[in-house]
Amino acid sequence: MIDTARSADDTPIVFERRGAGPVVVVVAGAGNDRHGDEPLVAELMAEFSVVTYDRRGRGGSGDTAPYAVEREIEDLAAVVAALGEPAIVHGISSGGALALLAAAAGVPMARLSVFEPPYRGETEEVPEGYADEMRELVAADRWDDAVALFMMSAVGSPEEVVTEAKASPVWAELRSFAPTLVYDAFVMKDSKVPGELASIAAPVLVVNSNGSTDWLKTAALVTAKVVPGARQVGLDGEFHSVPPERLAPELGAFYRDPR
């Protein structure tokens, strides 16, 4: 079922609900719309009613200016409210950072799981001015340069990986998301774990891949320490990725946990 929620500023936010059971709302990360996490959705649908939505500026959703992270928090709140029942939330990468900010802002969540919110430590920093530079590149229609900057500065990809990506079929899709990569840059702010996450009351699970870089593993540990009572678990996988058939059972066990 595809439907539309109206955010606080009247921006239309398109969402899709599939499956049956307790509701799980998936918050996509950078470079994805509501279709970006289909393998995980398919696994979760065996037990849950899974809701995916197009974040502001993506897919069928609107993009009312000016952008602010608070508007994206209101978008998620609108989707949750439109469902009319308690919702579990799962956020992926920078979508996980957004979900954490939403929980801290009081968006109602029965439970919250996040996969590798890309926070950085003191020795691993995103270059100063990154978000502003991203915004300037997009405003100048230099979308290829914006995607390259995202890959190198936010993801940490070496230049040769970016060169390979540019020559691959996936580049055109990545390029289409360039304007919203700016939004994810502002969600991440200075890429440090926000202190306001200490106010989250919902049960939280932080998941990382054992195959990720050290800074992403550290980010998961630090996030779990800041959020009261949060659990952290590492699963076997590759860089910034865990096979959905391994991740879904871990999430399901957490969602079913009565504690």
Side-chain angles (χ1 to χ4, degrees), residues 28-200:
N32 279 310
D33 57 16
R34 73 178 191 273
H35 303 297
D37 301 293
E38 289 297 296
L40 177 61
V41 170
E43 292 286 337
L44 291 173
M45 279 174 55
E47 187 176 354
F48 300 95
S49 176
V50 184
V51 175
T52 56
Y53 73 99
D54 288 330
R55 285 176 54 189
R56 180 171 294 237
R58 311 181 192 194
S61 291
D63 194 15
T64 306
Y67 176 80
V69 176
E70 290 76 13
R71 302 294 82 75
E72 283 222 72
I73 291 172
E74 291 166 356
D75 297 346
L76 177 54
V79 171
V80 170
L83 298 172
E85 58 187 289
I88 299 162
V89 175
H90 176 63
I92 300 164
S93 192
S94 53
L98 175 60
L100 286 162
L101 290 172
V107 176
M109 303 178 189
R111 285 178 171 264
L112 170 61
S113 58
V114 293
F115 179 76
E116 291 194 349
Y119 296 118
R120 306 272 184 145
E122 293 301 324
T123 59
E124 287 278 357
E125 296 188 2
V126 172
E128 186 176 352
Y130 163 72
D132 290 330
E133 185 176 358
M134 284 287 292
R135 182 164 52 187
E136 291 168 5
L137 288 172
V138 170
D141 292 327
R142 295 171 57 189
W143 290 16
D144 291 287
D145 292 336
V147 175
L149 178 64
F150 164 74
M151 291 185 68
M152 289 188 290
S153 295
V155 179
S157 301
E159 189 171 352
E160 57 268 26
V161 171
V162 177
T163 301
E164 291 174 6
K166 285 182 176 179
S168 74
V170 77
W171 186 260
E173 183 178 9
L174 279 173
R175 189 182 185 280
S176 72
F177 285 106
T180 59
L181 294 179
V182 180
Y183 300 169
D184 284 280
F186 282 100
V187 167
M188 296 309 303
K189 299 178 184 175
D190 62 359
S191 292
K192 300 296 188 293
V193 179
E196 58 259 42
L197 302 191
S199 68
I200 295 176

Side-chain angles (χ1 to χ4, degrees), residues 192-250:
K192 300 296 188 293
V193 179
E196 58 259 42
L197 302 191
S199 68
I200 295 176
V204 173
L205 173 68
V206 184
V207 183
N208 68 272
S209 168
N210 292 331
S212 282
T213 49
D214 287 343
W215 69 266
L216 279 169
K217 297 176 190 175
T218 300
L221 289 169
V222 174
T223 302
K225 286 181 180 178
V226 172
V227 179
R231 293 165 47 195
Q232 182 271 331
V233 62
L235 301 176
D236 290 340
E238 300 179 356
F239 169 72
H240 211 33
S241 174
V242 167
E245 63 273 16
R246 188 170 297 143
L247 177 57
E250 191 73 32

